[in-house]
Amino acid sequence: MIAIGSDQGGYELKMEILKHLEARGLEYKDFGSYDTASVDYPEYGKKVAHAVADGECERGILVCGTGIGISITANKVKGIRAALCTDCFMAEATRLHNDANILALGGRVVGVGLALKIVDTFLDTPFSNEERHLRRINAIED
Ligand code: RB5
């Protein structure tokens, strides 16, 4: 199950991502927001982050205008490694090296075509499980 959330700045891209997940046959839970009305991104960043941290969902996707505010919020929750990605190289590297459990995107930064490729890369790349990366990830929580 993929947790997904956005504010108004990420709403339109989130809707494209939902269509894409449906086309791929992937289950998701949409934590809002549910329209383009102005809201505060921390509410949605926290909802998705807690769903992932608590084990309700395996991965999360968060979208705000830049991806910055919502990723800062998610990274305050223990156990969350939210990665703001603007290209596929970053999405692949953050899965291989950081075992990122939330992808953050900027709806006003990346186009739909690139964003969907980033989503696929994030979802389809496994963690490398290499000792040096595990050591570094564990050190984040120390
Ligand atoms: C909302 O206008 C905007 O500030 C928000 O979507 C995000 O970019 C914050 O980091």
Side-chain angles (χ1 to χ4, degrees):
M1 180 71 74
I2 298 162
I4 188 160
S6 72
D7 70 356
Q8 73 279 9
Y11 176 77
E12 286 176 14
L13 178 55
K14 182 182 74 173
M15 297 312 289
E16 295 293 334
I17 294 170
L18 295 187
K19 277 194 276 177
H20 184 68
L21 296 178
E22 282 165 20
R24 284 192 53 170
L26 297 173
E27 289 191 318
Y28 63 81
K29 182 168 178 184
D30 183 1
F31 287 84
S33 65
Y34 301 111
D35 56 38
T36 55
S38 182
V39 293
D40 295 335
Y41 59 80
E43 179 180 343
Y44 305 95
K46 285 180 188 176
K47 282 180 177 168
V48 166
H50 284 293
V52 174
D54 297 348
E56 179 187 354
C57 297
E58 294 87 50
R59 301 268 188 93
I61 299 173
L62 286 169
V63 195
C64 69
T66 58
I68 296 172
I70 212 157
S71 59
I72 291 171
T73 305
N75 277 316
K76 296 285 185 189
V77 175
K78 190 171 171 55
I80 291 303
R81 293 177 301 282
L84 172 57
C85 296
T86 55
D87 61 40
C88 294
F89 178 84
M90 296 171 79
E92 181 181 48
T94 200
R95 288 292 308 130
L96 291 171
H97 295 195
N98 316 123
D99 197 14
N101 46 18
I102 292 182
L103 169 67
L105 292 165
R108 297 172 182 152
V109 179
V110 291
V112 175
L114 175 58
L116 298 183
K117 289 276 185 201
I118 292 171
V119 166
D120 284 343
T121 303
F122 177 77
L123 294 178
D124 297 340
T125 304
F127 175 49
S128 67
N129 234 3
E130 289 174 21
E131 192 279 331
R132 70 185 192 284
H133 293 310
L134 277 168
R135 183 181 70 241
R136 292 163 187 164
I137 290 166
N138 290 334
I140 294 171
E141 299 280 357
D142 287 350

